[in-house]
Every structure is written in C-alpha cells, then in structure tokens.
Amino acid sequence: MSSRLLVFLIPFAVIAIFWVMARSEKKLAHDPTHKSFFERNGMVLGITFIMLVAFWSLFLVVLPYLYMVVESFHPKLPPMQRGGPDDHLTLEQYKSFFFEPMDGSLNTTHMGAFVFTIFTSVVVTAFNFAICYPLAYYMAQAGSLQKVRLIMLALIVPYWVNEILRAFSLRLLLASKGLINQALLGLGLTEKPIDFLALDVGLYVGLSYAYLLVMIFPLYNAIESLDKNQIEAARDLGAPWWKIHRDVVIPYAKPGIASGCTMVFMLAAGSLAAPQFLGGPSTLWFTSIVYDFFFQAFNWPRGAAYAFILLAACIAFVMLMLRLFKVSLGETIK
Amino acid sequence: MSAGVELDHVTVRFGQFTAVDDATLDIKGGEFFSFLGPSGCGKTTILRTVSGFLDPSAGKVRIGGQDMGGIGPNKRPTALIFQNLALFPLMTVADNITYGLRVRGMSKAERMKKAGELLDLIALPGQGDKLVSELSGGQKQRVAIARALAVQPKVLLLDEPLSALDLKLRQHMRTELRAIQQQVGITFIYITHDQGEALTMSDRIAVMSDGVIQQVSDGKNVYDHPDTPFVASFVGENNPFAGKVVSADGDYAAVETPHGVLRGRNDKKLKAGDRAILFVRPESFRLGGGASDATLASETISSAFEGNATHVFLKGATKKDITVTVARHGGHKIPVQGETAAIHYEPAMGVVLPEGKMARE
Ligand SMILES: Nc1ncnc2c1ncn2[C@@H]1O[C@H](COP(=O)(O)OP(=O)(O)O)[C@@H](O)[C@H]1O
Ligand SMILES: [Mg+2]
C-alpha cells in the first residue's frame, strides 16, 4: 500500500479513541449517579455523535494538513506515476529549500525570501504594536465613551472594504505619480518622485494596516480590565507616565500583547495579497513562492514542504518570544 | 516631617453638578484630620483634589503653605491610600512597598533594606517575597500603608481604608493607624462614613453633607455641640423635636413641640418665633418625670434589651420613634408595651438648632 494512504487509517484510530473516551467517562466521574455517555444519549445517537465529531475534527481540521505533510515527503511525479515504483518517501523537497536541486548550489533566492519574510513580519508586528498600544490604552483607560465608540467605528468601517480595493487604493496613494508624491513635488520637498513601492513602504504600510484590528482588540481587552486606581497609585507614588506603562500597564497587559503580536506575526508571515499587490518589483515574499509552486509549477510536494518550513519557523519563533517574555501559551488565548 | 493643608474656598464641579461647594479649611501639620459624611457627599472628591488627581473648579489648595496649582499628583508631597488599596498584583510585597523609591531611582540594595524596615513597622517582618494575593485583607491594608509611607510623604491621605475589613479587624486597625500616625508624625487626612472611626481616631473632624462642610471641630464638640441639624442627626443617635421657639432666655431656649414646651441649650442664639429643632440624645433621657419643661410622656411601643443597656421606643409625633437608652444601674422598671411612660432630661443636654436638613435614616 502506498504510504500516502496510511493517512486514511488515522480516522479509525480517532474514532476508536473517542469510543474509549465515551466508555471511560463514567468511571472518571467518581459519581455513582452519573450516567454514562451512552446511557444519556442512547446507543444510536451516541454513535452518531461520535461519528460526527470524528468527521468534523478529521476531515475539516486534521486530515487536510496531515495529507499535506505526507505529500511534502514525496517526489513530484506526473499523475500517472503516483503510487508507482518511483513514489517513495524522500526529504528532497525540504533539501531543495537549502540547495538547488539542479546543481546543488545554495538556494539563496528562497532562503533570502524566507529571511526577508520573517524579518518584515517582525518589523510589521513591532510597528503595529507601536501604533496600537497608545490607541488601545487611550480607548481602554483615558477616552470618554463617545470618543471610544467613534474610534472603534473608524477602525472597523475600513474593513468593510475588500482587501484588493484597500491594497490598490494604497498603491494609488504611494505610486510614483500618486497622491503623496504629487504633494511632495508640489511642496518642493523632493526633486523627483520617491518610489515608495520599490522601497517596500507600501508593503509595510499595507501589512500593518491589514492586521491593525488583530492587534488592537487583544490589547484593548487586556488594558481595559486594568483597575484605573493602579495607574493612579503609580502616579501618586511619583512615577512619570512612561514608568507607569513600563511597570504597571505593560506587565498587566502582557498576555494581550503576546496574543496580538503572535497573531499579527503569523498572519503577516503567511499573507499573500498585500505583498503581491504592494511589494516592489524585486520583492519576493515567501508565500508567493509557495503559491507559485502550487499553482504555477504544479509542484505540490515542494509547495507543501515550503509551507511547512514557514509554519515550523513561525511556531518556533513565537515560542521563543513567549519564552523570552515569560508568557505561557495558555495566557495568550485567555 | 509634616505639612499643613489649606483649602481656600475650594469648589469642585462635574459639569453642572457641584461635588464640593466652597470648602475652606486649615489642617495643621501633624494633625489626624477626618472627613466624615454619608456616601456620595464629596469626600473622595476632596481627597483627590488634595492629591492632585482633580483640579478645583475654583479656589486653591495649599500644602505646607505652597500653592499646589499646576502641580501633578506625582510631584506633590502627598501619598494616597485608595479605597480598594490598588496594590500591584504582579509585584511582590517588597516591590510594592518600595515602588515609589524605585521610580525615584533608589538602588535595589537600598530598597530592600528600606522594605525590611517598613515591614517591621507594619508588623509583617520577613514577608517581603510574598505575592500580594497571598496576604489576608488586614495584611494588604498594612502593605498599602507601608507603600504610601515609603515615599516619606508630608501628608498621608486615606480613603475609607478600613471599609473592606471585618468589624473586629477594623476596630483593631483603628488603634494601629493612630499609633502609626503618632510614630511617623505626619499629617493624616482620613475619610470615612463611619462616625465611630472618625470619633476614636481624629484630632479634628469635618462633617460633610452634599458637598458642604457642616462643621469642623474635635470629636467631643461635634457630638455635644453640633452646629447643624445634619451634624446632630448624623453623628450618633439623636431624637429631634421640631417646633417654634417660644422664649429664649440667656443660654436656653424653650421650643413649642408636639410633646409640649421643651427646653434646651440655645448655642445658636435663636429668638422667639424662630423655627427650631430640639435634639436630645437617647442616653440623655431618664425614666420618670422631672422639670415640667424637660419632661414628656408617650406610649411605649417596644423595648430592646441589649445587655448593658435597654432601648425603649416611645411613640413620637412624627413617624420616627423616640429612643430612650436606659443604662443598667438597677431599680428601673422598664415600661411595658402600651404603657404611657414619662421621661425627662437635663436641659443642658438638649440642643436647640435652627431648622434645617437632617441626615437620612
Ligand atoms: N468623575 C466624576 N464625574 C461626575 N460625577 C462625579 C465624579 N466623581 C464623583 N462624582 C459625583 O460626586 C459626588 C461625590 O462623590 P465622592 O466624592 O466620590 O463621594 P464620597 O467619596 O463621599 O462617597 C457623587 O454624587 C458622585 O456621583
Ligand atoms: Mg468615596
């Protein structure tokens, strides 16, 4: 049997696990009056529930990814040869990220794009945090209710506009003959138009803007629950404003900050539209490479391998950051 | 080192609403001064104005003779203890206590030494490494006091600091607070709605109602010589008898009340014809008849035995009963329900005040 099909054994294993869980539930309850799962629901309904949950968790959550994992460990073959003698497990797709499959030289293009993607995502996350923290603090602690509502509305309404329109309107603003350059030329601040797009300004702005809400809401939620008296107590004890933030607000909001930063970083690193529309001509975003492998080169195994490299790197990076800032993963999803 | 606090015609408004109305006070350095009043009367607002979190809409606050206008809370020689304490939950007890020193740039070693001293002062030696959440209510209370004292304020402001504690602890903390104040020798401005706290701890008390300071005096004076019907009815129990002054002779005035003409001290120099309220405290009444203008009789409604004393409730002219507290010194026959009982008092223990607003029951 082909190794690809091994994946399909997993559903049965999962169903079996659910079955055992349902059976052992009664024993774990330590309560003699507690009815077991099947006593409560009846055999037919009980089995149906188990099947449905298993179906949902498998076919919609686990299996697609698992299938891609398996795929990434196979060579690229024409459909005819799939499952044939050449279809064996291999690491060549992962290796191709580091060394060109053609001549074995270092794959600087892809590794460069990878580093650029991670770096840019970190910068975008930091930039987003710098914008969102003061805003979230204002909304959560300082602003009056009416003003906060207004800001909230101003933040949300732009997201009704679809992503492509948003990206292209930014492009119009930033283009060589765009509004900003016209203004700069008109004011005599610059001699010739600045190519913001080639400088990746568009990329940074577009990515930051795209995930603004993802950053602001966790921050807002975290800061909002902070007792105002704590801020005032710090102030009363003589702390200038920045020490109040350093010692009281930020430590308190740390889980929210971690959660916002994690999400923005993950989403930015995996984003496709903004880099494609707003990146400069020589900008190579890692997900665009993955996209091209899937839809241009029809090289699913290599695309899958690249996608998992990105995923693993992002997870490792986030874990490292959480460890560094002493936040547990559980706190970030509170 | 302590400093006095002067309020010079301080008014604080929130929009149209006046929370503090033209307060003028002179709190002396080293004094234990209390603001006493029902909830919502503007006590916290005054404290926040002194600490700098609020700017007065009119008037001036001076600390140690220096005008505090434009000086922020982090620059004033005051420290505030919040109603909910507002300890920093993510810091240890020692870090909480020395936070004010940390922002002043004191070195870690020095801070730890200072924390040790303060922990000794508040009787929590060696507990510096605990988290705030591991402490009991009373211990948190003390940590909040130590945190405020650490910055060596000239004035300590306390906003109902004992209200979250249970009765026993509250009474114990009263003595302790007073002892700490005497030890550090700085000005304490204490806010409370509990007259017991104000009377036992303070050198002087300002009684407040609806943003207006009614009387400023020591506890004994506030109790024995109230300035307004509000003070008379808010501080301690009191029986009001409203009516019209029929005669005023020297230090006394006679008031025509529904229970007959009754006499009391005329501190406010009312004249015949003025509308007035005579106040007689429950413990000032004695059972039985006395002088005709200091005796009244009414039907007994009920009595409540309380061990060291018995409260007898007589039917009053208004909805409120007349309360008579009969101390236990033998020989008294407590009137039974339905019986008409005569009571009398020493006219010097009755106080005649001009008619005015009373405290809500
Ligand atoms: N920031 C504010 N805005 C509007 N009204 C306020 C504000 N702070 C206090 N008040 C009002 O001022 C009055 C006095 O409040 P406060 O000083 O807190 O009373 P106390 O401490 O004596 O209970 C209350 O009626 C309260 O509703
Ligand atoms: Mg208050």
Side-chain angles (χ1 to χ4, degrees):
Chain A
M1 191 172 67
S2 157
S3 55
R4 277 179 219 282
L5 299 178
L6 275 175
V7 166
F8 292 97
L9 286 178
I10 292 173
F12 298 102
V14 171
I15 291 175
I17 291 169
F18 280 146
W19 182 273
V20 172
M21 276 163 63
R23 298 303 303 238
S24 59
E25 180 207 37
K26 187 182 168 113
K27 282 195 213 97
L28 293 173
H30 299 299
D31 173 8
T33 61
H34 190 86
K35 284 185 169 178
S36 81
F37 180 74
F38 289 110
E39 278 165 352
R40 263 180 290 144
N41 299 308
M43 198 47 111
V44 178
L45 218 53
I47 290 175
T48 316
F49 281 153
I50 288 185
M51 299 295 274
L52 282 174
V53 173
F55 176 83
W56 180 75
S57 52
L58 282 167
F59 284 86
L60 302 177
V61 182
V62 180
L63 217 60
Y65 299 122
L66 277 178
Y67 187 75
M68 290 309 276
V69 174
V70 173
E71 191 68 34
S72 73
F73 287 104
H74 283 86
K76 186 202 174 199
L77 292 169
M80 302 296 290
Q81 289 175 38
R82 282 164 71 93
D86 287 339
D87 200 0
H88 55 281
L89 287 174
T90 170
L91 282 173
E92 69 178 84
Q93 309 301 357
Y94 287 92
K95 231 166 80 188
S96 72
F97 172 69
F98 300 100
F99 303 104
E100 290 282 5
M102 301 293 173
D103 52 8
S105 64
L106 274 181
N107 190 350
T108 46
T109 326
H110 289 173
M111 283 195 283
F114 178 79
V115 171
F116 173 74
T117 301
I118 298 282
F119 172 77
T120 306
S121 302
V122 170
V123 172
V124 163
T125 306
F127 184 62
N128 234 338
F129 174 72
I131 296 175
C132 291
Y133 178 80
L135 199 58
Y137 178 79
Y138 177 81
M139 295 198 325
Q141 292 285 345
S144 68
L145 199 64
Q146 286 158 327
K147 282 192 192 131
V148 169
R149 284 217 187 108
L150 213 66
I151 294 175
M152 207 80 102
L153 204 66
L155 281 171
I156 291 170
V157 167
Y159 287 85
W160 294 355
V161 178
N162 61 57
E163 201 181 354
I164 300 209
L165 199 58
R166 236 182 308 137
F168 271 104
S169 35
L170 260 180
R171 228 191 138 94
L172 284 179
L173 272 182
L174 296 169
S176 300
K177 293 214 174 86
L179 198 65
I180 293 178
N181 269 316
Q182 300 283 357
L184 288 179
L185 288 169
L187 291 169
L189 290 174
T190 171
E191 307 263 285
K192 55 182 176 20
I194 303 165
D195 194 350
F196 291 116
L197 294 172
L199 291 170
D200 281 332
V201 172
L203 179 66
Y204 284 103
V205 172
L207 277 178
S208 303
Y209 190 36
Y211 303 117
L212 207 64
L213 288 188
V214 176
M215 180 65 93
I216 213 154
F217 281 113
L219 289 186
Y220 173 77
N221 277 338
I223 300 174
E224 207 230 9
S225 60
L226 174 63
D227 176 14
K228 255 197 185 58
N229 285 350
Q230 301 242 333
I231 297 169
E232 292 192 339
R235 188 142 167 252
D236 190 60
L237 290 168
W241 65 269
W242 62 272
K243 283 187 184 170
I244 298 177
H245 286 279
R246 183 194 68 186
D247 302 331
V248 178
V249 187
I250 291 181
Y252 180 83
K254 213 156 72 173
I257 294 172
S259 140
C261 288
T262 306
M263 283 202 281
V264 169
F265 172 74
M266 289 284 203
L267 287 171
S271 70
L272 192 58
Q276 281 206 331
F277 300 139
L278 292 165
S282 58
T283 304
L284 192 52
W285 198 254
F286 197 69
T287 43
S288 305
I289 299 173
V290 176
Y291 179 89
D292 286 347
F293 275 126
F294 275 108
F295 295 104
Q296 307 290 316
F298 296 106
N299 190 347
W300 280 44
R302 198 165 173 193
Y306 273 44
F308 282 113
I309 288 172
L310 182 66
L311 180 65
C314 286
I315 291 176
F317 183 77
V318 165
M319 290 312 211
L320 184 73
M321 286 296 135
L322 291 181
R323 172 70 59 89
L324 225 55
F325 288 103
K326 299 197 179 70
V327 190
S328 77
L329 194 62
E331 277 178 284
T332 65
I333 49 177
K334 256 203 304 222
Chain B
M1 208 183 16
S2 68
V5 176
E6 285 167 68
L7 304 185
D8 187 356
H9 296 285
V10 168
T11 297
V12 184
R13 286 189 205 94
F14 298 111
Q16 293 293 312
F17 177 75
T18 305
V20 176
D21 194 0
D22 197 23
T24 298
L25 267 181
D26 191 353
I27 300 169
K28 290 191 271 297
E31 194 174 17
F32 197 123
F33 192 93
S34 292
F35 284 94
L36 171 65
S39 155
C41 72
K43 305 181 297 289
T44 299
T45 306
I46 286 202
L47 214 59
R48 290 174 64 81
T49 312
V50 174
S51 59
F53 287 108
L54 281 173
D55 289 325
S57 319
K60 281 195 166 62
V61 175
R62 278 187 286 271
I63 300 177
Q66 197 193 342
D67 185 3
M68 287 289 124
I71 299 181
N74 49 349
K75 297 264 162 37
R76 293 194 183 190
T78 59
L80 177 60
I81 295 180
F82 290 79
Q83 206 157 359
N84 68 353
L85 306 183
L87 295 174
F88 305 124
L90 300 174
M91 297 184 197
T92 62
V93 168
D95 285 344
N96 259 284
I97 292 178
T98 56
Y99 183 70
L101 304 173
R102 180 173 157 207
V103 298
R104 282 165 177 71
M106 189 186 267
S107 76
K108 175 121 187 150
E110 255 181 292
R111 272 190 277 139
M112 287 304 124
K113 193 167 145 277
K114 192 81 193 159
E117 288 168 22
L118 283 157
L119 285 167
D120 287 342
L121 176 76
I122 56 166
L124 287 176
Q127 311 249 30
D129 292 332
K130 281 193 177 170
L131 279 176
V132 172
S133 55
E134 294 167 326
L135 300 181
S136 71
Q139 291 173 327
K140 282 184 193 156
Q141 186 65 60
R142 288 168 220 222
V143 171
I145 294 168
R147 183 177 72 173
L149 289 176
V151 298
Q152 297 190 311
K154 293 178 178 160
V155 181
L156 190 67
L157 309 167
L158 304 99
D159 190 351
E160 309 209 18
L162 306 185
S163 57
L165 306 181
D166 57 57
L167 186 67
K168 258 252 156 61
L169 203 51
R170 209 150 63 211
Q171 275 162 351
H172 172 72
M173 285 302 288
R174 283 181 194 176
T175 353
E176 200 156 314
L177 267 179
R178 182 72 202 186
I180 290 177
Q181 194 254 343
Q182 248 131 37
Q183 201 173 336
V184 294
I186 61 172
T187 314
F188 272 39
I189 301 183
Y190 189 92
I191 273 190
T192 181
H193 65 261
D194 178 337
Q195 37 157 326
E197 276 175 21
L199 291 173
T200 48
M201 290 191 284
S202 327
D203 294 317
R204 281 194 303 158
I205 301 170
V207 183
M208 282 186 79
S209 161
D210 289 337
V212 178
I213 295 178
Q214 302 274 324
Q215 182 171 7
V216 183
S217 200
D218 62 49
K220 195 166 169 341
N221 240 324
V222 165
Y223 195 81
D224 287 339
H225 299 276
D227 270 349
T228 64
F230 179 86
V231 177
S233 55
F234 184 74
V235 182
E237 281 290 306
N238 229 329
N239 295 299
F241 301 95
K244 197 180 273 178
V245 178
V246 286
S247 69
D249 52 57
D251 293 338
Y252 287 87
V255 181
E256 165 108 65
T257 74
H259 295 277
V261 175
L262 296 172
R263 224 152 69 94
R265 271 192 343 258
N266 187 14
D267 293 351
K268 297 290 152 202
K269 303 292 166 224
L270 297 185
K271 293 184 294 293
D274 290 345
R275 299 217 46 93
I277 307 175
L278 166 74
F279 287 94
V280 183
R281 296 207 179 265
E283 70 271 19
S284 301
F285 280 122
R286 297 277 176 274
L287 290 175
S292 68
D293 53 3
T295 300
L296 55 140
S298 189
E299 184 192 332
T300 307
I301 296 197
S302 63
S303 62
F305 176 68
E306 211 179 61
N308 57 351
T310 304
H311 301 292
V312 180
F313 301 101
L314 305 183
K315 194 165 169 48
T318 57
K319 259 188 274 171
K320 194 178 177 292
D321 299 333
I322 302 166
T323 311
V324 179
T325 300
V326 184
R328 231 165 123 80
H329 42 72
H332 289 307
K333 183 189 155 292
I334 303 294
V336 296
Q337 191 179 352
E339 186 184 337
T340 299
I343 50 174
H344 70 280
Y345 62 93
E346 198 60 45
M349 302 303 277
V351 183
V352 179
L353 294 173
E355 200 176 51
K357 194 186 56 140
M358 287 201 275
R360 281 178 289 276
E361 283 300 305

